[in-house]
Amino acid sequence: MAEIAVSTRTLEEAIDNWVSTLAPNLLTIVEMRFPSADTKQSTLQEVGDVLGVSRERVRQLETRLFEQLRKAGIVQQINQLSEVLREMGGCAEPFEVEARYPQFDGLGRHLWLLDALQNKGLLVELTIVESDRQVHLVGTGKAYWLGRLREAREAIQGLLAKGGPQEDIIVREVVSSYFASDMQALAALAFAFVLENALIARGQNLTSSVVSLDRNVDDVLFATLLELGRPSHYSKIFEHASERFDFKADVRTLHNACGRSQRLYLFGRGEFGLLEHHRLPHGKQLRLAREIEEIICLGDSARQWHAAELLEALLDSYTDIPRDFSACEVDVIVSAHCRDVVLLGRQVYQAKGSQAVARIDVRQAVTSILLDSGGPLGDKSIINRLKEYRGVSSYTGALLPTAEYARTSTGQIGLLQRDFGISRDTADDLVGSVEFCCRNLGHGIHLSEIRSFLGEFDTGHPDFGHGVLAYCRVSSTLKISVSNYVYPSEWSGPNRLSVAEAIRHIAMESGDEAWTLSEVIERVKHLTLRTSITNYELGTRLAGLDYAQFNTATRKWEFFRPQ
């Protein structure tokens, strides 16, 4: 084979010199019409809009550009390399060109020019394989290269589907097996191509494992939890997935995906993990799964069991189960290992094949208990009755507010339609009036202000304000802040300070100044835009702060700068 008459370095210098002589309008055409691989090519019209000329004028300038390329001798130099490469491509066995001819190395940053010349028909022939924005010249036909690449990729996908995540060294060995022993440079290039968009997780032992070759939300969740190494709250999963794997969706989308995933399990309120994160070893999980199936299937097959009820039965039978074992951990075992049990609803199960398939709705049970009671009940009373009548003793999530019941001013649980002095017939008008007041004021309304703004609806019931708050909570147009402010749902917040924020503001600005309680109240009212704050409410808040203290000698409050 004849000596190569031109090196890549000489060619690069020629290209650089040529680019440096281009007029600004021609340089704009180069940047917009022949961009890098990760940038979309602009149309003639789009370039014309930038330059302030017609698309036909842009076409003419582009033609002039390639005429200059010919005159500079660059096309001839590239074609000389291309001819040599074509001869190499006729070899029986393929090889990576850079490994044998180092002078070709480094042509990658001018990929735009090679593509442009090929598109214009000015380049004889050049086999280009692109990876990580670098160009690799392979001395073989594209059919051979792409065929081997496809076969290696299919083999890896089959391995991942059958055996789960694989260490990257195993993937490398599989890819190498599709290339001859003297083509390891080409095999290394193929390995980079196979993993170009792969999802790779770093384990706790610092090993890297390939999770999938194509990224989807479920794979990202799985890889994230592999790296975290333990069950985690979905907000933590979102933070890690965004930082490590460039997860683009919002946190609500991720939370919903966690609930739908077949590989993730719920380990606690908002906490998701993998089966391998369960603290019981696999063998003990299987033993408990067999016991659970016997409890559910050998008794009354129509009976429905809650995870909390199963937990109590297991704790009575096994002394080697941790005393702090949770219903969620039982649910993980049932979901993963119990094949003769069907899930009716959240943590509610029944024997497979049973005719009765209606789930126990714990929240509906709470509603029934409140109806039977004739009035509001405390948490302990409701939990005891759930255990007595429904077989559930530790489902505190049932006491969160719903469209049927909410908390009264005394902390009990009451029915909205009975215990708050508000009828359902007026609820829509009431919610509409709250929204109107917020928009008219430009800020949210506090619980303590509800009566003054909704006097026409006020029934005089002591829990009227809490009832309004409850109806606003289940409305799609309003939100409730942690400080009990009501505001329109599209707002980012209530547009006013809470009492806690106002006190912190006073502490930051007070310096050495001491304040009487009445002075603090007036200042807080001014900052929060509230019309009234009781001595008890503010005194209680101040007493619980580590940056405020009461001076018994001066009868004034002194503040320190909060940390």
Side-chain angles (χ1 to χ4, degrees):
M1 184 179 297
E3 285 293 321
I4 299 173
V6 60
S7 72
T8 302
R9 181 176 301 278
T10 305
L11 179 59
E12 286 191 10
E13 290 174 357
I15 296 172
D16 288 337
N17 291 334
W18 171 72
V19 171
S20 67
T21 64
L22 292 178
N25 57 350
L26 293 181
L27 190 58
T28 300
I29 292 176
V30 168
E31 293 172 346
M32 297 185 67
R33 290 288 289 158
F34 312 110
S36 57
D38 59 342
T39 307
K40 181 183 176 183
Q41 182 185 39
S42 300
T43 64
L44 292 172
Q45 186 60 55
E46 288 171 340
V47 178
D49 292 341
V50 171
L51 296 178
V53 297
S54 67
R55 62 189 304 275
E56 175 58 25
R57 179 55 178 161
V58 174
R59 188 192 63 75
Q60 294 171 0
L61 290 172
E62 191 175 299
T63 301
R64 181 188 299 178
L65 186 71
F66 287 102
E67 284 297 326
Q68 291 185 13
L69 270 174
R70 282 197 189 93
K71 291 178 181 179
I74 294 174
V75 174
Q76 289 82 351
Q77 293 183 54
I78 294 179
N79 273 326
Q80 196 170 1
L81 292 179
S82 179
E83 290 284 2
V84 175
L85 289 173
R86 185 167 58 174
E87 293 181 33
M88 294 177 184
C91 298
E93 291 294 337
F95 56 88
E96 187 180 4
V97 175
E98 291 100 317
R100 188 175 298 184
Y101 297 94
Q103 59 265 50
F104 286 156
D105 197 19
L107 197 57
R109 65 193 186 93
H110 295 299
L111 177 63
W112 66 270
L113 180 59
L114 301 179
D115 284 342
L117 292 173
Q118 282 186 324
N119 292 336
K120 290 292 181 181
L122 300 176
L123 197 60
V124 178
E125 183 177 338
L126 190 63
T127 301
I128 303 170
V129 180
E130 190 184 352
S131 173
D132 298 329
R133 302 186 189 177
Q134 297 296 316
V135 77
H136 300 274
L137 311 177
V138 179
T140 182
K142 277 191 177 180
Y144 181 94
W145 163 258
L146 294 177
R148 289 292 185 177
L149 202 60
R150 184 182 63 254
E151 292 171 1
R153 184 180 176 83
E154 289 174 353
I156 298 301
Q157 285 178 325
L159 188 63
L160 294 173
K162 186 176 181 180
Q166 302 291 323
E167 290 188 19
D168 57 357
I169 189 171
I170 296 177
V171 175
R172 185 184 294 273
E173 290 174 357
V174 172
V175 173
S176 296
S177 68
Y178 283 83
F179 297 88
S181 58
D182 60 346
M183 295 192 302
Q184 289 312 296
L186 194 61
L189 179 62
F191 176 72
F193 267 76
V194 169
L195 297 188
E196 189 171 11
N197 295 310
L199 197 61
I200 301 176
R202 292 193 299 259
Q204 298 300 304
N205 56 359
L206 301 181
T207 59
S208 295
S209 297
V210 179
V211 176
S212 70
L213 298 186
D214 301 304
R215 300 189 178 208
N216 57 51
V217 175
D218 192 56
D219 290 331
V220 170
L221 295 177
F222 186 81
T224 299
L225 282 165
L226 272 181
E227 292 198 346
L228 291 173
R230 61 183 181 278
S232 303
H233 192 267
Y234 67 86
S235 60
K236 177 68 174 177
I237 298 173
F238 174 77
E239 178 183 332
H240 191 91
S242 301
E243 181 178 338
R244 271 283 288 124
F245 303 115
D246 198 26
F247 183 74
K248 296 296 186 184
D250 56 36
V251 67
R252 184 183 295 274
T253 300
L254 180 136
H255 183 220
N256 293 337
C258 286
R260 292 193 301 268
S261 175
Q262 298 297 310
R263 294 189 284 181
L264 271 59
Y265 298 90
L266 187 68
F267 278 81
R269 187 169 182 80
E271 286 202 351
F272 296 88
L274 306 176
L275 183 59
E276 64 193 61
H277 294 158
H278 202 289
R279 56 175 162 167
L280 293 185
H282 185 72
K284 186 172 288 188
Q285 290 180 37
L286 295 177
R287 181 161 62 89
L288 289 183
R290 288 192 294 270
E291 178 69 19
I292 289 170
E293 287 184 328
E294 289 182 5
I295 292 173
I296 295 176
C297 300
L298 296 184
D300 181 5
S301 62
R303 179 175 176 179
Q304 299 168 354
W305 293 77
H306 191 276
E309 193 175 8
L310 290 171
L311 175 60
E312 293 177 1
L314 292 173
L315 289 174
D316 289 341
S317 303
Y318 293 93
T319 58
D320 57 345
I321 298 178
R323 295 297 98 182
D324 61 343
F325 208 62
S326 69
C328 285
E329 290 175 294
V330 173
D331 182 60
V332 172
I333 292 176
V334 175
S335 301
H337 304 300
C338 294
R339 298 292 174 259
D340 294 328
V341 173
V342 62
L343 177 68
L344 301 182
R346 188 171 180 178
Q347 297 188 352
V348 181
Y349 323 100
Q350 194 171 37
K352 185 180 288 186
S354 177
Q355 305 234 336
V357 293
R359 67 166 290 188
I360 299 175
D361 191 318
V362 181
R363 291 181 175 86
Q364 184 58 46
V366 172
T367 302
S368 299
I369 290 170
L370 290 172
L371 282 170
D372 293 341
S373 70
L377 291 174
D379 292 13
K380 188 174 181 180
S381 297
I382 294 175
I383 292 297
N384 287 339
R385 296 192 191 194
L386 279 173
K387 181 177 181 180
E388 181 180 352
Y389 297 115
R390 303 283 174 160
V392 178
S393 62
S394 60
Y395 192 76
T396 55
L399 304 184
L400 296 173
T402 70
E404 300 296 330
Y405 53 82
R407 289 203 179 271
T408 66
S409 57
T410 60
Q412 293 184 306
I413 306 293
L415 289 174
L416 276 178
Q417 61 182 352
R418 181 193 67 195
D419 300 323
F420 293 88
I422 302 172
S423 68
R424 288 196 181 276
D425 296 336
T426 62
D428 289 343
D429 292 337
L430 185 149
V431 169
S433 295
V434 171
E435 183 179 1
F436 174 80
C437 288
C438 289
R439 296 187 186 281
N440 192 41
L441 292 168
H443 58 72
I445 299 174
H446 189 261
L447 169 64
S448 62
E449 302 167 334
I450 286 177
R451 286 186 187 275
S452 61
F453 284 108
L454 301 175
E456 60 180 303
F457 295 97
D458 191 357
T459 60
H461 194 282
D463 285 317
F464 173 76
H466 285 77
V468 173
L469 215 63
Y471 278 113
C472 290
R473 181 175 285 109
V474 297
S475 165
S476 61
T477 60
L478 295 172
K479 286 184 178 179
I480 313 295
S481 75
V482 293
S483 303
N484 287 332
Y485 285 103
V486 186
Y487 59 95
S489 56
E490 70 268 21
W491 291 5
S492 59
N495 295 338
R496 57 195 293 193
L497 296 180
S498 66
V499 173
E501 291 169 335
I503 294 174
R504 189 177 183 86
H505 182 81
I506 292 172
M508 295 289 288
E509 69 177 7
S510 64
D512 296 331
E513 183 182 358
W515 303 60
T516 64
L517 184 61
S518 60
E519 289 173 338
V520 178
I521 288 176
E522 289 304 314
R523 181 61 176 156
V524 169
K525 285 166 61 177
H526 173 74
L527 291 172
T528 61
L529 305 178
R530 284 178 55 174
T531 56
S532 65
I533 297 176
T534 65
N535 289 7
Y536 175 78
E537 178 185 358
L538 195 61
T540 303
R541 286 182 178 271
L542 291 172
L545 297 176
D546 57 2
Y547 54 86
Q549 71 175 17
F550 185 68
N551 189 321
T552 55
T554 62
R555 307 294 295 174
K556 291 185 176 182
W557 284 92
E558 298 171 349
F559 295 94
F560 310 99
R561 193 172 185 84
Q563 297 299 318

